[in-house]
Amino acid sequence: MLGEEADYSTDLVMEWLLYANGPNLIRVNTEDEITINKIKLEAASSQVSIAVLPKHENINLDELDFYFYRRGSLRKKNPYHPLGFPLADHNIRTFINWEWKVCSEYIIDCLSHKNSWGNYRKRVVNKLASLQLAAKIGFKIPNTLVTEDVECLKSFIRTKACIIKPLSDIIPIHHDDHFLHMGTKEMSAPPLQSFYPSLLQTRIAKWIEIRVFVSYDKLYAMAIFSQNNTKTELDYRNYDRSKMNRMVPFELPGKIKAMVHAFMQEANVDTGSIDFILSPEREYVFLEINPVGNIEMLSENCNYYIEKHIAEQILDQINS
Amino acid sequence: MSESHYQLFSCCVPVRGFARSAIYDLQRKDYWFIPNDLCDLLIKEKGLPISGINEKYKHLDIESYFNFLFENEICFPCRKEDLDRFPELDLQWNIPFEFETAIVDFNREPLVRLKRIVSELNKYAIPNIQIRFFEAVEEDQFKEVLIQFSDSNMKFLELIVLNRFSQEFIDSMLHEFPKIRLLILTNSTKRSRRDVEQATVFETTEHITSHCQCGLIQQAQFAVEMRTYCESRLHNSCLNAKVSIDVHGNIKNCPSMKESFGNICDTSIEQALQHVNFKSMWSIKKDDIEVCKDCEFRHMCSDCRAYLKKENNRCSQPEKCNYNPYIAKWKGEEGYVPIEHCGTYNNRGNYIPDLIKIKQINMDLWGG
């Protein structure tokens, strides 16, 4: 099981597996240091064996029956000490990182050929590609523009209210007590300086937001009432902890469920969280998908026991 | 297509009481009292438009009711065709463990059965262990207990112990045993709270010298929360998924209960769990308990099955409850009378409320 140390949903899946007297489990976290014992390739067969430090667990890939990928990667510290030549130092560091990437991705690919839940190679889905695909499936999507041309931007924001948000995943950026917030923001005037290619979308009128978690053939939906709180109007992740947005179980219409499954199949992802806006006209507007998105929030607020179901899905596969 | 209807947020659940009702906010962990007529309406009139409710309940101030419900985000205005999109909460309560909590009580000699107890508990992966020392223990004994338990599978340790240690010693223990999450020091000279690493340390001036001091029903211990609510709807809110070992080593549902399922020295926890009476206590729901079933607090309450108003009825109300749900008064409040003044017990220990008398008391208390 590959996850992150503070990954509560992986903890729960493990507990359910253990309770079922299921398989022997090995949990590897992205924080763990990996050692390669050997990756031995021969014409007839190949052997892959790694060790996880500081747990000192030796893992022989041949002996694994099932692979659970939640998030993160296999990591190793880059041992390079800079010599004081910035360009060379940088390139040597980068080179060593690449060397490791080949190893770690090969190992993960070997794992992925086994029975598995989750997929490392599909942990990130291109935001633009997924919008395009969603539109092809038949979902409404916000009008979307990526540009670094100020005129192009001006004409886009002139007609409709717009928002700006990252193309990629947000990462926490802070210095001392200053936090840079990277969520969705309103965009009403063009920036004064030149700017990096940025993702703009028309602002969608919202009745509620829908968060859907998909785990293979299972689908869980939750309504988020974020529109009544000015803090969460644009982005429900601007949590108002004194008055959390209402988050309650939601039953998707059958047609939308089928479209979600069609989307997952076309995008070639098996698990993930999808965000929709449900417009006042009751249109499901696709915003984005995160294949390694949050599970706990749905599971806890809606009393869904998603982690228990995931464990059952895994046990079904192991026992079949 | 107007928002002519309303829908309850499924995390807001009405719980009807005899004299008044409550809405539990399981998400924001809070509650509101509401009058029974509003509670009944919320339960019965699902799917009726607000205008229809207005029509049907002319004698009620429906407008101010709905203002209250919308303002506190208990309900939201909803179109008729959207009503079915919002299912009720799926009432389920599951744990990936054989049981969830173990209580272990010690008197003077904690080390006598310690190894046996820990090895028995170690057969299970249980998250919480509460250890209570009813008599003073030496530092080295205390530490030995912690060493043994910390080696076990459990995740969190709660301790109640007589305060005769130095703060230095306490802090070193908390540092050494990160599984300790709560430490209550009884017999302290003052009341205090401090957070040390992952643990919270409470000093209390109370003397806790035996399990007899348990079972108090207090508002301070009420919990409005999803898991608690679901558990309370489906199981006993105190004994469910709990195993206890009393000061003599007897395996019980709770140390205060009379029935022992064998001594830890010669009985395994597994044997005790298999006894037909053991888990049957887990299933006594608040909705089935005398008096409690009429109480608006019943699904936030800790319950107690050890000290009962009527010993011959296992569904009797907790003895140490000082709330009278028939008149919505706590002991100490003006106008409080105990439930014994509001009804009688039959010979099976069932409580029969005297409706006429209750009506009279409520008229005097609350008018109307």
Side-chain angles (χ1 to χ4, degrees):
Chain A
M1 305 181 81
L2 177 53
E4 288 169 356
E5 225 165 60
D7 192 355
Y8 185 55
S9 50
T10 306
D11 294 352
L12 289 181
V13 172
M14 283 180 74
E15 279 178 349
W16 284 110
L17 288 171
L18 289 168
Y19 181 57
N21 277 326
N24 293 321
L25 303 177
I26 301 172
R27 163 93 170 254
V28 179
N29 292 318
T30 201
E31 292 83 355
D32 291 332
E33 173 85 4
I34 307 295
T35 302
I36 306 272
N37 293 338
K38 64 176 170 201
I39 299 174
K40 194 173 174 194
L41 309 177
E42 286 168 0
S45 68
S46 57
Q47 283 176 298
V48 181
S49 154
I50 61 172
V52 185
L53 303 170
K55 294 178 191 164
H56 302 296
E57 270 170 308
N58 280 303
I59 305 173
N60 189 342
L61 264 57
D62 279 345
E63 290 165 14
L64 301 180
D65 297 313
F66 195 90
Y67 163 61
F68 173 87
Y69 176 75
R70 174 69 183 117
R71 47 169 74 138
S73 53
L74 296 176
R75 294 245 182 104
K76 188 171 190 67
K77 242 188 240 123
N78 189 323
Y80 180 67
H81 291 292
L83 295 169
F85 312 113
L87 186 61
D89 282 342
H90 175 263
N91 283 350
I92 295 171
R93 265 201 156 272
T94 306
F95 171 71
I96 292 173
N97 286 342
W98 287 353
E99 291 285 287
W100 175 248
K101 197 167 178 235
V102 173
C103 288
S104 66
E105 293 194 344
Y106 175 74
I107 294 164
I108 288 181
D109 283 347
C110 288
L111 289 167
S112 304
H113 294 141
K114 299 176 180 295
N115 276 337
S116 60
W117 188 99
N119 187 342
Y120 171 82
R121 290 282 190 184
K122 288 284 177 181
R123 70 194 186 284
V124 184
V125 174
N126 187 295
K127 209 173 270 187
L128 300 173
S130 62
L131 280 164
Q132 196 180 19
L133 178 59
K136 186 185 146 202
I137 295 289
F139 287 114
K140 271 203 86 170
I141 58 165
N143 286 336
T144 299
L145 173 75
V146 179
T147 185
E148 55 183 306
D149 177 80
V150 75
E151 289 310 316
C152 183
L153 182 142
K154 269 184 191 163
S155 73
F156 189 74
I157 65 176
R158 195 182 302 130
T159 48
K160 274 192 168 162
C162 286
I163 56 105
I164 179 165
K165 68 180 202 179
L167 278 156
S168 54
D169 290 336
I170 52 175
I171 56 169
I173 298 178
H174 59 95
H175 178 71
D176 295 336
D177 288 340
H178 303 285
F179 284 85
L180 185 63
H181 182 71
M182 301 179 84
T184 303
K185 296 208 176 91
E186 200 153 12
M187 184 84 191
S188 49
L192 298 173
Q193 294 150 335
S194 66
F195 52 93
Y196 203 74
S198 300
L199 172 64
L200 291 143
Q201 291 183 319
T202 47
R203 187 173 167 178
I204 303 293
K206 185 189 328 184
W207 173 39
I208 51 178
E209 280 181 73
I210 307 289
R211 160 63 69 99
V212 179
F213 181 76
V214 188
S215 168
Y216 295 80
D217 58 337
K218 283 191 188 296
L219 196 153
Y220 309 85
M222 174 173 83
I224 306 173
F225 287 72
S226 52
Q227 78 288 2
N228 291 334
N229 191 326
T230 46
K231 268 178 109 167
T232 56
E233 230 181 332
L234 268 180
D235 189 342
Y236 74 85
R237 289 166 301 191
N238 300 330
Y239 303 119
D240 183 347
R241 294 195 191 272
S242 66
K243 204 177 182 190
M244 282 299 281
N245 284 157
R246 286 291 182 211
M247 299 185 197
V248 294
F250 188 81
E251 180 68 30
L252 288 173
K255 188 181 149 209
I256 300 297
K257 283 185 195 171
M259 283 165 72
V260 170
H261 285 305
F263 173 88
M264 298 296 283
Q265 197 166 8
E266 286 267 325
N268 198 18
V269 282
D270 300 314
T271 69
S273 305
I274 305 178
D275 288 327
F276 292 100
I277 283 178
L278 187 48
S279 76
E281 291 73 39
R282 305 306 186 255
E283 290 162 320
Y284 290 79
V285 184
F286 178 98
L287 295 182
E288 57 185 276
I289 175 169
N290 180 0
V292 296
N294 180 297
I295 298 176
E296 301 97 281
M297 201 168 62
L298 264 86
S299 208
E300 283 173 13
N301 282 305
C302 302
N303 207 36
Y304 279 154
Y305 287 89
I306 297 174
E307 297 87 351
K308 179 171 181 270
H309 297 168
I310 292 173
E312 287 161 359
Q313 286 178 320
I314 293 172
L315 289 169
D316 277 353
Q317 281 211 49
I318 293 175
N319 297 329
S320 68
Chain B
M1 298 241 260
S2 68
E3 292 175 331
S4 53
H5 289 62
Y6 73 94
Q7 177 65 280
L8 270 171
F9 288 107
S10 56
C11 52
C12 293
V13 283
V15 177
R16 200 189 193 285
F18 187 94
R20 64 178 169 187
S21 300
I23 288 180
Y24 292 26
D25 185 340
L26 305 177
Q27 185 196 18
R28 294 177 189 158
K29 303 181 189 352
D30 202 354
Y31 64 93
W32 298 268
F33 292 118
I34 55 167
N36 283 343
D37 51 26
L38 176 56
C39 184
D40 292 340
L41 177 163
L42 288 173
I43 292 166
K44 262 189 251 158
E45 305 297 0
K46 279 191 177 159
L48 209 64
I50 297 176
S51 61
I53 292 171
N54 253 318
E55 198 71 17
K56 197 169 165 185
Y57 294 89
K58 282 208 172 88
H59 59 291
L60 298 179
D61 187 357
I62 295 298
E63 193 185 328
S64 65
Y65 278 177
F66 274 95
N67 282 344
F68 158 79
L69 294 171
F70 291 144
E71 246 166 55
N72 290 295
E73 293 186 300
I74 296 164
C75 286
F76 59 97
C78 190
R79 294 180 189 170
K80 186 167 192 285
E81 65 273 20
D82 290 327
L83 288 173
D84 293 343
R85 301 265 79 90
F86 298 93
E88 275 183 44
L89 208 61
D90 189 358
L91 263 192
Q92 51 174 330
W93 185 90
N94 301 299
I95 45 167
F97 316 104
E98 203 70 39
F99 54 100
E100 196 175 31
T101 305
I103 297 180
V104 183
D105 284 353
F106 290 116
N107 263 349
R108 199 178 302 274
E109 297 289 342
L111 305 186
V112 180
R113 285 177 293 270
L114 184 62
K115 281 220 163 76
R116 172 78 189 141
I117 292 173
V118 173
S119 82
E120 264 304 303
L121 288 173
N122 236 342
K123 294 179 185 167
Y124 303 88
I126 38 167
N128 310 310
I129 295 184
Q130 186 185 67
I131 306 174
R132 307 187 295 186
F133 300 89
F134 293 129
E135 289 183 46
V137 284
E138 301 297 329
E139 284 186 1
D140 56 342
Q141 288 183 326
F142 184 66
K143 188 171 175 180
E144 184 57 29
V145 171
L146 293 182
I147 291 172
Q148 297 279 339
F149 274 100
S150 276
D151 272 348
S152 75
N153 285 327
M154 57 90 192
K155 284 195 269 186
F156 306 123
L157 198 54
E158 288 181 22
L159 300 158
I160 300 177
V161 63
L162 208 85
N163 191 2
R164 55 179 284 174
F165 308 122
S166 68
Q167 183 166 321
E168 242 180 326
F169 173 73
I170 292 289
D171 290 359
S172 72
M173 290 300 99
L174 295 176
H175 181 75
E176 198 169 330
F177 303 104
K179 288 181 175 179
I180 303 174
R181 294 305 157 99
L182 179 69
L183 174 58
I184 299 174
L185 298 162
T186 63
N187 266 21
S188 298
T189 50
K190 60 179 192 316
R191 292 164 51 110
S192 75
R193 178 206 158 121
R194 61 192 182 96
D195 295 301
V196 188
E197 313 214 1
Q198 70 295 323
T200 305
V201 183
F202 286 102
E203 286 183 311
T204 168
T205 51
E206 254 177 276
H207 299 232
I208 298 178
T209 53
S210 90
H211 58 72
C212 298
Q213 280 157 278
C214 192
L216 240 55
I217 304 297
Q218 294 168 310
Q219 270 179 292
Q221 282 167 7
F222 286 171
V224 181
E225 192 258 333
M226 179 81 75
R227 279 183 66 80
T228 312
Y229 174 78
C230 292
E231 185 177 24
S232 173
R233 286 286 303 272
L234 302 165
H235 306 283
N236 184 265
S237 35
C238 181
L239 299 182
N240 181 43
K242 185 182 279 177
V243 171
S244 303
I245 298 163
D246 76 4
V247 291
H248 306 295
N250 296 314
I251 308 171
K252 297 175 167 182
N253 288 109
C254 142
S256 300
M257 307 271 296
K258 290 205 178 70
E259 187 172 8
S260 166
F261 298 89
N263 197 285
I264 194 81
C265 299
D266 51 31
T267 313
S268 67
I269 290 177
E270 192 185 349
Q271 286 170 314
L273 282 169
Q274 274 165 3
H275 192 286
V276 60
N277 285 355
F278 200 99
K279 286 191 181 173
S280 85
M281 298 306 291
W282 293 9
S283 62
I284 303 176
K285 302 191 285 280
K286 273 295 204 185
D287 290 329
D288 303 332
I289 294 172
E290 297 290 305
V291 183
C292 299
K293 63 186 171 198
D294 292 322
C295 179
E296 66 276 19
F297 295 117
R298 66 184 175 280
H299 296 306
M300 59 176 95
C301 179
S302 46
D303 196 43
C304 171
R305 292 295 93 210
Y307 305 107
L308 303 177
K309 286 269 167 85
K310 292 290 163 195
E311 282 201 9
N312 61 340
N313 181 358
R314 63 179 220 152
C315 287
S316 185
Q317 181 199 11
E319 187 191 5
K320 300 183 197 178
C321 174
N322 289 319
Y323 182 67
N324 182 340
Y326 298 100
I327 57 170
K329 287 281 184 192
W330 286 91
K331 187 176 183 177
E333 287 179 339
E334 207 184 317
Y336 169 83
V337 290
I339 60 146
E340 286 74 11
H341 291 203
C342 298
T344 49
Y345 286 98
N346 67 14
N347 55 9
R348 287 195 304 275
N350 295 330
Y351 181 77
I352 320 288
D354 181 341
L355 299 179
I356 297 169
K357 199 169 173 190
I358 291 168
K359 197 168 182 188
Q360 188 57 51
I361 300 175
N362 277 326
M363 283 284 260
D364 295 343
L365 271 177
W366 308 101

